[in-house]
Amino acid sequence: MADASVGSTSVASRTAPPASEPAGRGAGQKLRTRLVEVAFIVPAVVYLVLFFGYPVVKNVLMGFQEYTTKTFYTGEAPWVGLSNYSAVVGNAIFDRTLWNTVLFTAGSIVGQFALGLAIALFFHKRFALSGVLRSLILLPWLIPMIAGTAVWRWILDTDNGALNRILSAIPGLDLNPNWLTSPQLALVAVIGVNIWLGIPFNMTILYGGLQEIPEELYEAGALDGATGWRAFRHITWPMLRPVVTVVLVLGVVYTLKVLDVILGLTNGGPANSTQTISTFSYDMSFRQFDFGQGAALGNILILISLVFAVVYLRINRKAVDE
């Protein structure tokens, strides 16, 4: 009987619900959990504030100050209100830089997206060595920008460039274009190089989007006669549209602030024919050492980018909701 009572007691103790923890112990556990969460968040917040928040706020303030090299040893940067903005907007080359920025961004985005989509569709059909070839297309991403622009400067050189040598070797074609020194051709050449740099990004994102489209849709569409162009129009494009939107918006934001490609190829010349707002801001800040006006141009570029960033966030949220 004694053994039975002991056994029943032990079983009851195993099946009985655990006693509730003391209130103080539960509060301590919650506090530790909260501290761990804060420990993970604080480094990210500090990083964002130091490397993103502070430069942006400092740049906004400099846009309203007379900030020159004298400020570095006097510490004085008088408040000038909107004078820097009126000075840069009234500058003789501002309209040219704004128009060049529009042409450079639009030309680069159209070229990068069209070629990126064509290559993504090409690789969507599986064939031998497709993985190797797809990896080779990513090479422009792996090459340092300064090295890539140096190679393109040689390719586009008027006298000794590879491109003009190829053109001169074509029978009946007497051409020797000044790709980087002609005001009419320099912007076209810079856009072409930027397209080459942007193709891997567009191709990679669009190829990933194509991989997410179920094959069953193409099989069902084929039964209804939707093949080739009709399959692209009625199946591929509608299913790929959210990815396309993200690629285009991100591409615009990235292209607006392109600086190194232009500096490496033409340095903004000849005759400001490749000068954009970003290179104009660099020129004002680090060649003419008028940091206030350079910051004002940078803030204008931030505002333009912010518009597209808001568009991207709204589209991204809409895609998540759907």
Side-chain angles (χ1 to χ4, degrees), residues 16-17 19 60 67 99 101 146 151 180 187 200 217-218 226 236 239 247 268 276 290 296:
V60 170
Y67 209 105
W99 180 238
T101 302
I146 190 67
V151 171
L180 299 178
L187 186 59
L217 291 179
Y218 291 104
T236 305
M239 297 294 292
V247 168
T276 62
D290 193 330

Side-chain angles (χ1 to χ4, degrees), residues 91-104 180-188 190 262-263 266-284 287-288 297:
N91 194 295
I93 67 169
F94 179 78
D95 292 343
R96 181 73 178 271
T97 60
L98 186 60
W99 180 238
N100 285 345
T101 302
V102 173
L103 290 178
F104 178 75
L180 299 178
T181 55
S182 165
Q184 289 76 33
L185 289 178
L187 186 59
V188 176
V190 172
I262 301 174
L263 291 181
T266 62
N267 212 13
N272 296 313
S273 60
T274 58
Q275 196 83 271
T276 62
I277 293 180
S278 60
T279 58
F280 189 26
S281 174
Y282 177 85
D283 183 70
M284 293 298 294
R287 289 179 183 148
Q288 302 185 36
L297 285 164

Side-chain angles (χ1 to χ4, degrees), residues 26 68 100 103 115 203 209 231 274 285 315-316 320:
T68 62
N100 285 345
L103 290 178
L115 292 175
M203 189 273 291
T274 58
S285 295
I315 292 173
N316 196 34
V320 170

